Amino acid sequence: MAMGQGAIVQDGINKIAVYRDEQGGLHAVSAKCTHLGCVVHWNSAEKSWDCPCHGSRFAVDGEVLHGPAPSALAAVNLDVQDSMQANSPASNHSSVNKASR
């Protein structure tokens, strides 16, 4: 995954929203919107996670930018080697920055 970009990554039955910042660090949060559970998608123009169902928007660390979502996306501990290997071979040795609460 390129720096400054985000993607949804499948981890077993879970979907994780992963963003690679400009320094190469990864930020991982649940891809499940806290409003009604729809899967968010990456908005590259605004650099945010957006919910297609009711318009909620989240920062790269999962914090709510715009409702109706009542709370932030949950932080996820990401096993980079297992979850990101298919996305980008260069990701195998990257560090993961958890979203802080």
Side-chain angles (χ1 to χ4, degrees), residues 3 13 20 23 32 36-37 51 59:
M3 291 183 194
I13 62 170
R20 183 178 300 276
Q23 292 73 41
K32 184 178 177 182
L36 292 177
C51 182

Side-chain angles (χ1 to χ4, degrees), residues 8-79:
I8 302 299
V9 177
Q10 190 78 33
D11 182 29
I13 62 170
N14 298 312
K15 291 186 179 179
I16 302 170
V18 181
Y19 170 73
R20 183 178 300 276
D21 64 30
E22 299 300 333
Q23 292 73 41
L26 295 175
H27 304 265
V29 294
S30 170
K32 184 178 177 182
C33 180
T34 57
H35 178 231
L36 292 177
C38 296
V39 175
V40 297
H41 68 268
W42 178 246
N43 177 337
S44 59
E46 299 292 330
K47 294 199 181 292
S48 64
W49 297 107
D50 296 359
C51 182
C53 294
H54 298 104
S56 291
R57 294 183 57 223
F58 302 87
V60 296
D61 66 355
E63 291 299 318
V64 176
L65 297 173
H66 184 268
S71 58
L73 299 173
V76 173
N77 285 321
L78 184 65
D79 182 344

